[in-house]
Amino acid sequence: MRKLIMWNVITLDGYFEGEKNWDLSFHGLVWGKELEEFSLIQLRSADILVFGATTYQGMADYWTNAPEDEGEVAKFMNELPKLACSTTLGNAKWKNTTITKDAVSEVSKLKKEGSGDMFVFGSGILSASLMKAGLFDEYRICIAPTFLGKGRRLFLEGIPNKELKLIETKPLSTGGVILTYIP
């Protein structure tokens, strides 16, 4: 059975995006060789990438025109199967994409069909729906050493109370920390 894994970079005060869509400037605080290697390890284990509509559109725009220096990460991002969870997207412009209007049902079904990992990147609203349905098997969060003060929080009000077990802590030389939790 596949594992559904959340991967996000958030600020110390809990924001995963600034006040505007794609305001991710704080990611530069943690990006470096270690996080790049960690990203490649995750992508090598992935069978499917799962996105909400806004994240899907932004990722598609970026990765289909990725700069040369993105190398192996770009190859994985463009080649891996993708699931775009949206009630509004009409077509998929990024290759290897399937669109679903019922994220919870589709993700539940896909978890039973394979053995590789499924990753949700970004996608705060989708993540909340999947959390409410109890579908995440693992949470991998990189904490950026900054306070943003405003923006979009990853963990929204109304998600269910759930105790988690810390299974790994990985400090980065950039000052960030990757925390891995399981329910």
Side-chain angles (χ1 to χ4, degrees):
M1 189 159 119
R2 288 185 172 118
K3 285 194 315 186
L4 182 64
I5 301 169
M6 175 192 285
W7 166 247
N8 267 298
V9 175
I10 65 172
T11 62
L12 195 55
D13 54 348
Y15 295 99
F16 82 107
E17 187 174 53
E19 288 186 285
K20 297 178 182 162
N21 282 348
W22 297 101
D23 179 2
L24 306 174
S25 57
F26 62 91
H27 283 211
L29 296 172
V30 292
W31 188 254
K33 187 79 175 144
E34 296 158 305
L35 197 51
E36 181 180 5
E37 283 302 314
F38 186 81
S39 297
L40 286 169
I41 289 167
Q42 291 191 127
L43 289 168
R44 288 179 189 125
S45 76
D47 266 359
I48 300 173
L49 304 177
V50 182
F51 303 103
T54 302
T55 304
Y56 172 80
Q57 290 173 314
M59 291 283 212
D61 289 345
Y62 181 81
W63 290 108
T64 56
N65 299 297
E68 292 279 323
D69 64 348
E70 293 287 5
E72 196 175 356
V73 173
K75 177 182 163 266
F76 279 111
M77 293 300 291
N78 286 312
E79 296 299 323
L80 281 166
K82 290 161 274 297
L83 180 66
C85 304
S86 172
T87 57
T88 58
L89 283 177
N91 60 8
K93 61 182 178 180
W94 198 6
K95 75 177 180 177
N96 299 326
T97 298
T98 301
I99 298 173
T100 183
K101 293 188 184 309
D102 187 347
V104 170
S105 293
E106 189 65 20
V107 168
S108 294
K109 183 183 100 181
L110 289 170
K111 280 182 69 169
K112 297 173 187 165
E113 293 179 353
S115 59
D117 296 331
M118 296 172 61
F119 281 91
V120 176
F121 297 158
S123 307
I125 295 168
L126 171 64
S127 290
S129 296
L130 298 174
M131 290 173 77
K132 287 176 184 175
L135 291 175
F136 280 108
D137 299 294
E138 197 169 301
Y139 300 87
R140 296 178 186 171
I141 307 294
C142 180
I143 308 294
T146 190
F147 296 111
L148 201 54
K150 55 189 169 189
R152 288 189 57 208
R153 292 190 182 275
L154 176 59
F155 300 110
L156 305 173
E157 273 190 46
I159 59 173
N161 183 342
K162 184 167 219 74
E163 289 190 25
L164 303 173
K165 179 180 178 183
L166 179 66
I167 60 168
E168 185 177 8
T169 304
K170 181 177 177 52
L172 303 172
S173 62
T174 58
V177 179
I178 300 171
L179 304 170
T180 304
Y181 292 95
I182 58 173

